[in-house]
Amino acid sequence: MTHEPPVVTQTFKKFEQQHILPIPESERTGTNWSLAAIWVSLNMMPLTVVTGAVASGSYGLPITWSIIAILTGNLIGAFGSALHASQGPHLGIPQMLQARAQFGYLGASLFALIAFIMFMGFFASILIVAKEALLAVFPEFNGTLAILLFSLVGVALCVFGYELLSRTMAWLSIIIALAVTVSMIIFWTKPEVTSQRADAMFTFEGFFAMLAIGIVWQLAYAPYVSDYTRYLPKDTGPKAAFWGTYLGLVGSSVFVMTLGVLLGAANPDNPLAALGDFLGPLGLLVLIIFAVSSALINGVELYSAVMNALTVMQSNFRMVITSATRVWTTILAGALATFIAIMGQGDFMTVFESFLTLLLYVLIPWSAINLVDYFIVQKGEYVIADLFARDGGRYGRWNKVGLTSYGIGLVAQAPFMVTPLYTGPLAAPLQNIDIAWLVGFLFTAALYLVLTRSARKVPESTVVPVA
């Protein structure tokens, strides 16, 4: 039986109507510049600053070693995300919907749900940090009201969809990059800041913990990079999608996190406040830019949360996904994430660090399976129509090989885990150096490859290239 994916005719160019459906070639308006601008602007926010501040603030690393750990972690993590991004122009579908090929039509909804929770967490986290940036300038402003206003901006952008988000990101990447650059230059010229960690000692535990945070920061993009690279014309090719994503993510992340290292050294308890303390009116202006830009950037986080929510809904309920469905899902998801942000305004940094660590362990096995399947097993050749078939087509409803590999890969990380709630028995002999992510990736990739090659459902000669 041949399955054809549903087709939607776009009637209003500015208002996205394709949602999780394959993007037709005629509507692939993305460019290398617009793609890079999305990834650059996504990292130009106070949440990235706060994450970088963890190195010098929470872990107490010297400034130089903090930057080295951040650079190394981002270089490693972004490589995986960029490989996922290279799939977008070829397949034209959202990243987590493609997981149906590895886990089955229903099995993939489990991972779409995990990704949905992750993006909701980031949406809420960005709201909280944006609020903190605004309160550092206007301390008398009501924090809950600030969260509500910032949320409304992100929801409004998400309602219109990809095109408006893309244009907004392009302009933001320029404005915020200038603000961060000026701040960075001034901070480097202030000895009272750069000398703050002169007596700090290098520790393997702190270095590898920060390296792991850099990795997970980049891998957190993996579940939605193709949500945007799918808008690149197919003849753009995987290399353009890879390098546009890789350079955009690494360059902006390391740059902004380095500013965070300096701010964390200057004020470990409240890194963002150091902008106003050391830069005066200019620092306050940068904080305002950060706060406003975060509200706009958050539309991207919500957009991908909605893509995953729609994937779960279509997988588990017999319903037709329409533009109205997407809009209402956007509003409801935005309201839920806003409620989480309002309720979670307390000990944010402790919760956020635990959130990042958990993300690393959950994403690693999925990433390994997706990359092995795409580049080694299937070599990029998928039948898109079968991904939308309720019986899963040749991919089935539940893929036991994919699900088993993921579960075992997740368990394989447990002995090496280092988290505030649980530390594995093999972590102490390794001086609490977190290598669970490396073990999880290599073990899961090898296991999936072996199991898949020994139990292929479809002979390789019958796999039809992407239409």
Side-chain angles (χ1 to χ4, degrees):
M1 180 179 179
T2 301
H3 304 279
E4 295 295 335
V7 176
V8 173
T9 302
Q10 184 131 330
T11 57
F12 179 39
K13 186 177 179 182
K14 303 298 181 184
F15 187 80
E16 180 181 328
Q17 298 188 25
Q18 292 296 342
H19 40 82
I20 61 174
L21 298 178
I23 305 300
E25 189 67 25
S26 61
E27 295 175 17
R28 296 194 180 193
T29 57
T31 63
N32 293 343
W33 157 244
S34 65
L35 178 65
I38 286 176
W39 306 132
V40 169
S41 57
L42 264 177
N43 286 303
M44 297 288 182
M45 59 179 175
L47 186 61
T48 317
V49 174
V50 170
T51 303
V54 170
S56 56
S58 299
Y59 294 126
L61 287 171
I63 290 177
T64 301
W65 281 111
S66 296
I67 296 172
I68 292 174
I70 287 171
L71 175 62
T72 306
N74 278 274
L75 286 173
I76 295 172
F79 187 79
S81 289
L83 285 176
H84 289 290
S86 68
Q87 303 168 16
H90 183 55
L91 300 177
I93 56 177
Q95 190 75 62
M96 295 311 290
L97 190 142
Q98 191 227 329
R100 290 174 176 175
Q102 294 98 47
F103 302 101
Y105 187 86
L106 292 177
S109 64
L110 298 175
F111 299 91
L113 180 60
I114 291 172
F116 170 76
I117 294 172
M118 181 188 79
F119 293 126
M120 293 287 280
F122 272 112
F123 186 88
S125 299
I126 292 172
L127 287 177
I128 293 173
V129 179
K131 176 212 70 175
E132 295 295 335
L134 186 66
L135 294 185
V137 183
F138 305 108
E140 70 282 357
F141 202 90
N142 183 278
T144 299
L145 178 59
I147 288 176
L148 288 172
L149 292 175
F150 290 149
S151 176
L152 285 174
V153 174
V155 170
L157 279 174
C158 185
V159 163
F160 281 92
Y162 168 80
E163 187 163 337
L164 184 58
L165 284 170
S166 177
R167 291 175 182 269
T168 303
M169 295 299 105
W171 285 106
L172 276 178
S173 64
I174 297 173
I175 296 171
I176 311 175
L178 289 173
V180 174
T181 300
V182 173
S183 301
M184 184 88 73
I185 292 173
I186 296 176
F187 264 99
W188 276 116
T189 61
K190 288 183 175 291
E192 62 269 32
V193 174
T194 55
S195 63
Q196 287 291 325
R197 289 295 173 186
D199 57 344
M201 299 294 292
F202 170 85
T203 63
F204 282 103
E205 182 179 353
F207 179 84
F208 281 94
M210 195 61 215
L211 182 143
I213 287 178
I215 292 172
V216 73
W217 181 266
Q218 294 298 340
L219 280 183
Y221 290 110
Y224 71 123
V225 282
S226 283
D227 294 3
Y228 300 95
T229 58
R230 66 182 176 142
Y231 281 92
L232 291 176
K234 192 171 183 178
D235 59 9
T236 300
K239 288 185 178 179
F242 176 91
W243 287 111
T245 300
Y246 188 80
L247 296 177
L249 286 176
V250 172
S252 57
S253 298
V254 173
F255 188 55
V256 181
M257 285 185 185
T258 299
L259 175 61
V261 169
L262 297 174
L263 295 177
N267 188 343
D269 297 326
N270 192 348
L272 291 176
L275 276 169
D277 295 340
F278 287 88
L279 300 187
L282 176 61
L284 298 179
L285 176 61
V286 173
L287 284 169
I288 294 174
I289 293 174
F290 268 148
V292 175
S293 63
S294 292
L296 300 173
I297 290 169
N298 231 1
V300 175
E301 301 292 347
L302 187 59
Y303 177 81
S304 290
V306 170
M307 291 299 104
N308 284 285
L310 295 177
T311 299
V312 173
M313 291 161 62
Q314 189 198 53
S315 298
N316 293 277
F317 305 100
R318 292 185 176 277
M319 60 184 302
V320 177
I321 304 298
T322 64
S323 293
T325 309
R326 182 182 68 82
V327 170
W328 280 110
T329 303
T330 299
I331 294 171
L332 292 175
L336 176 59
T338 303
F339 175 76
I340 294 172
I342 292 173
M343 299 302 295
Q345 297 181 65
D347 191 7
F348 169 72
M349 280 307 299
T350 301
V351 175
F352 182 64
E353 286 179 45
S354 300
F355 176 64
L356 284 177
T357 305
L358 179 62
L359 272 183
L360 179 62
Y361 302 136
V362 172
L363 289 175
I364 282 292
W366 162 80
S367 178
I369 290 171
N370 176 270
L371 294 178
V372 167
D373 188 68
Y374 185 89
F375 290 101
I376 300 177
V377 177
Q378 302 291 355
K379 297 180 174 61
E381 303 301 337
Y382 295 88
V383 181
I384 301 300
D386 281 10
L387 297 177
F388 289 88
R390 292 203 63 82
D391 63 359
R394 67 192 60 205
Y395 306 113
R397 293 166 67 84
W398 299 92
N399 186 318
K400 293 181 180 179
V401 170
L403 293 168
T404 300
S405 299
Y406 178 85
I408 296 176
L410 201 60
V411 172
Q413 299 178 92
F416 305 91
M417 289 181 178
V418 181
T419 73
L421 300 177
Y422 167 79
T423 299
L426 297 181
L430 295 171
Q431 299 181 2
N432 284 333
I433 296 173
D434 191 349
I435 64 167
W437 59 273
L438 181 59
V439 173
F441 187 92
L442 295 178
F443 184 84
T444 306
L447 178 63
Y448 181 78
L449 185 59
V450 170
L451 293 180
T452 301
R453 286 186 168 177
S454 63
R456 291 284 298 270
K457 289 184 178 180
V458 182
E460 193 167 335
S461 59
T462 65
V463 177
V464 182
V466 178

